[in-house]
Amino acid sequence: MKSNQSFRLKVAALITGVLAIGIAFFLLSANSNSTKTSTTSSEDEIAHSFSLNNQPLLGEEDAPVTVVEFGDFKCPACKAWGEEIFPKLQKEYLEKDSVNFSYVNVLFHGEESELSALGAESILKRDPQSYWSFHKALFNAQPTQNHNEKWVTVSKLTEIAGNTTNVDLVQFKQDIEAKSMLSDVEKDMFLVEDYHVVSTPTVMINNKVVEDPFNYREIQKAIEEELEESTS
């Protein structure tokens, strides 16, 4: 049973995230010629399939069910989701061949979001086997109290990479400072717009957005429905 304090923290984090992303999403949308709506209900289904190409992946690529988290390394709610919900998902489904998991960078917190995404994309390209170790360590480095504290720096990212990966740290630092992986980060931002993502974390199961990403029963139900459909 979650404590009231934990619940309030999650709610506060979500509210903070929504407020922070409003401006970013508005600017992104303002520069787009798209006529899509800016929100998607849990009943909506995107007309095309999510592509796993060039995305970090846990599990079998050809699994019938794909769970996608749209997240931001600066987002407190994403850190909470990774600590509270993801372990359950991993234990129950990802250790089997029927469900896989992918992560899409969202840049709702400005420069630090971009820096962390550039770092993650560099690891994914230079040392893909170490990506998830870097991913987890980066979220673990997020402050638990002052969420507005500036903590994502090139130095911090390099430190984490040195502790969790086998990349050439000089090359890694150059990748971030030169924004070598910017095109990959931009591809993620196109996905954010394409799938109408307006808050983090947003969790999608086979193109269907989960209404409450912290409701594990809802996630279970959606996965089981997709698994049943895949075998019918």
Side-chain angles (χ1 to χ4, degrees):
M1 199 76 173
K2 299 187 181 79
S3 67
N4 290 333
Q5 182 178 1
S6 174
F7 177 75
R8 287 196 298 269
L9 174 62
K10 245 176 3 189
V11 171
L14 284 166
I15 293 173
T16 301
V18 170
L19 290 174
I21 68 173
I23 295 175
F25 186 78
F26 175 79
L27 292 174
L28 180 65
S29 298
N31 291 325
S32 171
N33 292 323
S34 172
T35 58
K36 300 173 190 168
T37 60
S38 61
T39 58
T40 304
S41 75
S42 60
E43 298 299 320
D44 289 339
E45 182 172 358
I46 307 301
H48 54 281
S49 297
F50 177 83
S51 173
L52 294 173
N53 292 337
N54 302 315
Q55 297 301 133
L57 183 71
L58 273 176
E60 298 295 326
E61 186 173 356
D62 59 353
V65 178
T66 293
V67 180
V68 180
E69 177 194 359
F70 289 84
D72 188 327
F73 289 107
K74 275 284 289 184
C75 166
C78 296
K79 176 181 173 71
W81 190 87
E83 293 172 345
E84 298 175 20
I85 304 301
F86 180 76
K88 300 175 184 178
L89 180 69
Q90 185 173 31
K91 182 177 180 180
E92 186 171 2
Y93 293 108
L94 300 183
E95 294 178 359
K96 303 174 184 178
D97 295 334
S98 55
V99 179
N100 60 32
F101 177 81
S102 186
Y103 181 86
V104 177
N105 294 298
V106 182
L107 310 185
F108 285 161
H109 291 268
E111 179 185 3
E112 289 181 88
S113 297
E114 181 180 84
L115 281 175
S116 57
L118 287 168
E121 291 294 340
S122 176
I123 300 299
L124 184 61
K125 180 175 182 179
R126 308 289 183 190
D127 186 15
Q129 298 302 317
S130 298
Y131 172 83
W132 293 106
S133 295
F134 178 85
H135 176 106
K136 183 176 180 179
L138 186 50
F139 269 119
N140 287 343
Q142 186 185 121
T144 57
Q145 297 297 325
N146 184 4
H147 302 307
N148 294 321
E149 174 187 345
K150 183 175 182 179
W151 63 276
V152 180
T153 63
V154 175
S155 176
K156 186 64 176 178
L157 292 169
T158 304
E159 175 190 333
I160 294 172
N163 292 332
T164 59
T165 77
N166 297 310
V167 296
D168 180 326
L169 296 181
V170 173
Q171 179 66 66
F172 175 74
K173 185 177 179 182
Q174 289 177 349
D175 282 346
I176 298 174
E177 293 177 338
K179 298 187 178 183
S180 302
M181 309 301 168
L182 185 59
S183 61
D184 295 306
V185 174
E186 289 176 339
K187 288 176 184 176
D188 279 7
M189 285 307 293
F190 286 131
L191 289 172
V192 168
E193 182 181 10
D194 202 21
Y195 286 91
H196 320 301
V197 174
V198 295
S199 64
T200 54
T202 287
V203 174
M204 186 173 70
I205 299 171
N206 279 7
N207 298 343
K208 298 175 184 177
V209 175
V210 175
E211 185 174 351
D212 179 3
F214 284 93
N215 185 338
Y216 185 64
R217 288 185 178 180
E218 183 181 351
I219 292 174
Q220 283 179 306
K221 182 174 182 291
I223 290 175
E224 293 298 334
E225 287 176 351
E226 293 298 321
L227 286 174
E228 184 178 350
E229 184 174 330
S230 72
T231 59
S232 60

